[in-house]
Amino acid sequence: MNKIVTIGREFGSGGRELGRRLAEVLGFDYYDKEILTEIAKKTELSEEYVKQVVECRPHSLYPITVAHSFSVGYNVGFNQAQAVYAAQSDIITELAAKSNCVIIGRCADYILKDRNPLRIFVYADVESKLARCKARNDGESLSDRQLQRQMKAVDKTRAAYYSFYTGLAWGDKQHYDLMINTSGVDLKNLAADLAGFVNK
Amino acid sequence: MNKIVTIGREFGSGGRELGRRLAEVLGFDYYDKEILTEIAKKTELSEEYVKQVVECRPHSLYPITVAHSFSVGYNVGFNQAQAVYAAQSDIITELAAKSNCVIIGRCADYILKDRNPLRIFVYADVESKLARCKARNDGESLSDRQLQRQMKAVDKTRAAYYSFYTGLAWGDKQHYDLMINTSGVDLKNLAADLAGFVNK
């Protein structure tokens, strides 16, 4: 069976970079935004819309809103969100069957649970996340305070999305094999160390 | 500066064995129960009493009980608990200054925070912890239910002790560098993988 690494991560923790570097060290395939492109193809929705559904619209995923939405005619949006998740599940399952790989986010840890992936969660302290965001220019014109608010909002969305589809708490250690604090850590070295965990 | 690894662990997670094996692989000193012996020497209390204070008597550490205890004459016990903690801090600081080492529990992560230790927390799912306890015969004559109750009680004590002296939540990922789930994991292999994290 292929070796699969899934990476959940707090915004700004460097989880994505760590995953990319780990895939490089291991010679594994790496899937991140590529998955959105595939979902768009499969569902015939625009990539931009798919991105909105999976990253920016947690409110349409909450049962309480869904219940309301039936009466105000939003159920099309909800059905599309479900279709996007179904497509995502199929695509992730296909990718995992194809080769050894590292997959970022997208509930891949849950979708692939029967394939026994190494489930990693990456986090860091606020200062370190702010520094990483600034270094990669994510919030060029934002103040620390604004950036921090954005970080919180993104993580809240990720948590809501994850919890809605898996019924589990995002970032709760019980659902991961390894939780890594990247505060002040060099991601290149970390990726090299981490490779040992996968290649056993 | 010496390399220090501290290991916090849930009861039955194999954290102690992992620490011992890691120290072996790395050629580091290993401190666990040895610390109690040293505390006993330093405080001139019996080792058994020291063990009680640090492992079995969280109620005497709670401020609310302490407040009560002044009126019922238990403050000697509280003062001794404080003396034990002070001795423990000194001993751990001395050991860390002496050589590279792995230290199990005892708030060592907090006591040594200025020395930048690699702070590991080890946990596992209940089934796996039960299996580990049985394999090492910790609860020979106990049923699963009794064993589970004991596991919970020990962890509760550890959490109360840690929180009392550090003001931090025991097992909360923010205070650790690496959180490792040992469910179904071979600890010997894990120790070898982990060595890479320390030797960087």
Side-chain angles (χ1 to χ4, degrees):
Chain A
M1 204 184 262
N2 293 331
K3 286 180 183 170
I4 318 288
V5 180
T6 63
I7 299 191
R9 76 290 180 214
E10 289 179 353
F11 186 77
S13 67
R16 176 173 282 157
E17 182 185 337
L18 179 64
R20 192 175 43 73
R21 289 187 179 278
L22 180 64
E24 269 170 28
V25 176
L26 291 164
F28 281 21
D29 283 324
Y30 169 79
Y31 301 113
D32 177 12
K33 292 180 180 160
E34 299 79 358
I35 294 173
L36 299 186
T37 315
E38 291 305 310
I39 296 173
K41 277 190 212 158
K42 214 171 184 118
T43 56
E44 297 186 345
L45 296 167
S46 79
E47 203 167 323
E48 197 46 44
Y49 181 77
V50 169
K51 196 168 181 301
Q52 274 195 346
V53 170
V54 300
E55 289 183 355
C56 309
R57 304 188 70 181
H59 61 281
S60 69
L61 302 174
Y62 281 109
I64 191 163
T65 312
V66 170
H68 284 193
S69 70
F70 286 123
S71 61
V72 291
Y74 281 178
N75 51 344
V76 172
F78 178 64
N79 287 344
Q80 278 179 347
Q82 296 290 72
V84 164
Y85 185 78
Q88 174 171 290
S89 294
D90 290 349
I91 290 160
I92 286 175
T93 307
E94 285 160 21
L95 293 174
K98 220 171 64 179
S99 62
N100 296 335
C101 59
V102 175
I103 305 178
I104 307 296
R106 312 260 64 81
C107 303
D109 52 338
Y110 182 80
I111 292 166
L112 299 174
K113 61 183 184 302
D114 295 337
R115 293 188 157 260
N116 204 20
L118 181 71
R119 301 159 302 169
I120 297 175
F121 188 85
V122 181
Y123 62 100
D125 60 32
V126 174
E127 294 70 30
S128 168
K129 290 190 286 189
L130 280 175
R132 277 218 170 84
C133 284
K134 283 181 191 169
R136 71 184 183 202
N137 248 357
D138 261 12
E140 341 166 24
S141 59
L142 298 180
S143 69
D144 276 14
R145 207 174 164 149
Q146 287 170 315
L147 204 48
Q148 214 170 323
R149 211 175 300 142
Q150 193 196 34
M151 272 167 32
K152 263 196 179 167
V154 172
D155 283 351
K156 212 171 159 187
T157 304
R158 286 180 183 169
Y161 185 87
Y162 187 84
S163 151
F164 183 80
Y165 284 112
T166 68
L168 306 174
W170 181 77
D172 177 344
K173 62 180 182 292
Q174 296 305 332
H175 316 307
Y176 301 90
D177 300 301
L178 210 54
M179 311 271 292
I180 304 174
N181 188 340
T182 53
S183 308
V185 171
D186 180 278
L187 297 178
K188 203 173 167 185
N189 289 342
L190 182 58
D193 295 340
L194 206 50
F197 274 88
V198 186
N199 264 337
K200 65 184 169 193
Chain B
M1 203 183 263
N2 292 330
K3 285 180 183 170
I4 317 287
V5 181
T6 63
I7 299 191
R9 74 293 179 214
E10 289 179 354
F11 186 76
S13 67
R16 178 173 281 156
E17 183 187 337
L18 179 64
R20 193 176 42 73
R21 289 187 179 276
L22 180 64
E24 269 170 29
V25 176
L26 291 165
F28 281 20
D29 282 325
Y30 168 80
Y31 301 113
D32 178 13
K33 292 178 179 160
E34 298 79 359
I35 294 173
L36 299 186
T37 314
E38 292 304 311
I39 296 174
K41 277 191 214 159
K42 213 170 187 122
T43 56
E44 296 185 346
L45 296 167
S46 78
E47 202 168 324
E48 196 45 45
Y49 180 76
V50 169
K51 197 169 180 303
Q52 274 195 346
V53 169
V54 300
E55 288 182 355
C56 309
R57 303 187 69 180
H59 60 282
S60 70
L61 302 174
Y62 281 109
I64 190 161
T65 312
V66 170
H68 283 194
S69 70
F70 287 123
S71 60
V72 293
Y74 281 0
N75 51 344
V76 172
F78 178 66
N79 287 344
Q80 277 179 347
Q82 296 290 72
V84 164
Y85 185 78
Q88 174 171 291
S89 293
D90 290 349
I91 290 160
I92 286 175
T93 307
E94 285 160 23
L95 293 174
K98 220 172 63 180
S99 62
N100 295 334
C101 59
V102 174
I103 305 177
I104 307 295
R106 312 261 63 80
C107 304
D109 51 338
Y110 182 80
I111 293 167
L112 300 173
K113 59 183 185 300
D114 295 337
R115 293 187 157 261
N116 204 20
L118 180 72
R119 302 161 302 170
I120 296 176
F121 188 85
V122 182
Y123 63 100
D125 60 32
V126 173
E127 294 70 29
S128 168
K129 290 191 286 189
L130 280 174
R132 277 215 171 86
C133 284
K134 284 180 190 169
R136 69 186 184 201
N137 247 357
D138 260 12
E140 337 167 28
S141 60
L142 298 180
S143 68
D144 276 14
R145 205 171 165 153
Q146 287 170 314
L147 204 47
Q148 214 169 322
R149 212 175 299 142
Q150 194 196 33
M151 272 167 33
K152 263 196 180 169
V154 172
D155 283 351
K156 212 171 159 186
T157 303
R158 285 179 183 170
Y161 185 87
Y162 186 85
S163 149
F164 183 81
Y165 284 112
T166 68
L168 306 174
W170 181 78
D172 176 345
K173 63 180 182 290
Q174 295 305 332
H175 316 307
Y176 301 90
D177 299 302
L178 211 53
M179 311 271 292
I180 303 176
N181 188 340
T182 53
S183 308
V185 171
D186 180 278
L187 296 178
K188 204 172 167 186
N189 289 342
L190 182 58
D193 296 339
L194 206 51
F197 273 90
V198 186
N199 264 337
K200 66 183 170 192

Short mmCIF file of all heavy atoms in Angstrom, two decimals, chain A residues 23 35 39 42 80 84 87 94 102 109 128 135 154-155 185:
data_model
loop_
_atom_site.label_atom_id
_atom_site.label_comp_id
_atom_site.label_asym_id
_atom_site.label_seq_id
_atom_site.Cartn_x
_atom_site.Cartn_y
_atom_site.Cartn_z
N ALA A 23 7.80 16.17 0.92
CA ALA A 23 7.55 15.43 -0.33
C ALA A 23 8.82 15.41 -1.18
O ALA A 23 9.17 14.38 -1.77
CB ALA A 23 6.39 16.07 -1.09
N ILE A 35 -5.65 19.94 -5.93
CA ILE A 35 -6.91 19.23 -5.67
C ILE A 35 -8.11 20.10 -6.05
O ILE A 35 -9.08 19.61 -6.61
CB ILE A 35 -6.98 18.80 -4.17
CG1 ILE A 35 -5.88 17.75 -3.92
CG2 ILE A 35 -8.35 18.24 -3.81
CD1 ILE A 35 -5.72 17.36 -2.46
N ILE A 39 -11.15 19.23 -8.56
CA ILE A 39 -12.55 19.31 -8.15
C ILE A 39 -13.33 20.14 -9.18
O ILE A 39 -14.44 19.77 -9.59
CB ILE A 39 -12.71 19.96 -6.75
CG1 ILE A 39 -12.05 19.11 -5.67
CG2 ILE A 39 -14.19 20.16 -6.41
CD1 ILE A 39 -12.02 19.76 -4.29
N LYS A 42 -14.06 18.12 -12.20
CA LYS A 42 -15.01 17.04 -11.95
C LYS A 42 -16.44 17.59 -11.77
O LYS A 42 -17.41 16.94 -12.18
CB LYS A 42 -14.58 16.29 -10.68
CG LYS A 42 -14.90 14.80 -10.74
CD LYS A 42 -14.27 14.06 -9.58
CE LYS A 42 -14.52 12.58 -9.71
NZ LYS A 42 -13.32 11.78 -9.85
N GLN A 80 -24.32 22.19 -3.61
CA GLN A 80 -23.04 22.31 -4.33
C GLN A 80 -21.86 22.05 -3.39
O GLN A 80 -20.89 21.42 -3.77
CB GLN A 80 -22.93 23.68 -4.98
CG GLN A 80 -23.68 23.71 -6.31
CD GLN A 80 -23.63 25.05 -7.00
OE1 GLN A 80 -23.23 26.03 -6.39
NE2 GLN A 80 -24.02 25.08 -8.26
N VAL A 84 -19.12 19.29 -3.95
CA VAL A 84 -17.69 19.60 -3.94
C VAL A 84 -16.97 18.65 -2.98
O VAL A 84 -15.92 18.09 -3.31
CB VAL A 84 -17.45 21.08 -3.53
CG1 VAL A 84 -16.00 21.31 -3.13
CG2 VAL A 84 -17.84 22.01 -4.67
N ALA A 87 -16.76 15.20 -4.54
CA ALA A 87 -15.74 15.17 -5.60
C ALA A 87 -14.35 15.14 -4.97
O ALA A 87 -13.47 14.38 -5.39
CB ALA A 87 -15.89 16.39 -6.50
N GLU A 94 -8.46 8.66 -5.16
CA GLU A 94 -7.76 8.26 -6.39
C GLU A 94 -6.26 8.60 -6.31
O GLU A 94 -5.41 7.78 -6.67
CB GLU A 94 -8.36 8.98 -7.62
CG GLU A 94 -9.71 8.41 -8.06
CD GLU A 94 -10.52 9.40 -8.92
OE1 GLU A 94 -9.90 10.32 -9.51
OE2 GLU A 94 -11.76 9.26 -8.97
N VAL A 102 2.10 13.29 -0.24
CA VAL A 102 1.82 14.19 0.87
C VAL A 102 0.62 15.03 0.45
O VAL A 102 0.62 15.61 -0.63
CB VAL A 102 3.03 15.11 1.16
CG1 VAL A 102 2.67 16.14 2.23
CG2 VAL A 102 4.25 14.31 1.57
N ASP A 109 -6.91 13.32 5.98
CA ASP A 109 -6.64 12.36 7.05
C ASP A 109 -7.88 11.50 7.32
O ASP A 109 -7.79 10.29 7.53
CB ASP A 109 -6.20 13.08 8.34
CG ASP A 109 -7.14 14.20 8.75
OD1 ASP A 109 -7.90 14.70 7.88
OD2 ASP A 109 -7.15 14.56 9.93
N SER A 128 5.40 33.53 16.05
CA SER A 128 6.06 32.80 14.98
C SER A 128 5.20 32.77 13.71
O SER A 128 5.71 32.91 12.59
CB SER A 128 6.36 31.39 15.48
OG SER A 128 6.74 30.57 14.44
N ALA A 135 7.00 37.17 6.33
CA ALA A 135 8.13 36.77 5.49
C ALA A 135 7.66 36.32 4.12
O ALA A 135 8.33 36.53 3.12
CB ALA A 135 8.93 35.66 6.17
N VAL A 154 -9.21 32.38 9.45
CA VAL A 154 -8.92 31.24 8.56
C VAL A 154 -8.97 29.94 9.37
O VAL A 154 -9.58 28.95 8.95
CB VAL A 154 -7.54 31.40 7.87
CG1 VAL A 154 -7.17 30.13 7.12
CG2 VAL A 154 -7.56 32.59 6.92
N ASP A 155 -8.35 29.95 10.54
CA ASP A 155 -8.33 28.73 11.36
C ASP A 155 -9.75 28.35 11.82
O ASP A 155 -10.07 27.17 11.90
CB ASP A 155 -7.42 28.91 12.57
CG ASP A 155 -5.95 28.79 12.19
OD1 ASP A 155 -5.68 28.40 11.04
OD2 ASP A 155 -5.09 29.08 13.03
N VAL A 185 11.45 27.07 14.30
CA VAL A 185 12.08 25.87 13.75
C VAL A 185 12.39 26.06 12.26
O VAL A 185 11.58 26.62 11.52
CB VAL A 185 11.15 24.64 13.94
CG1 VAL A 185 11.67 23.43 13.20
CG2 VAL A 185 10.97 24.34 15.42
#
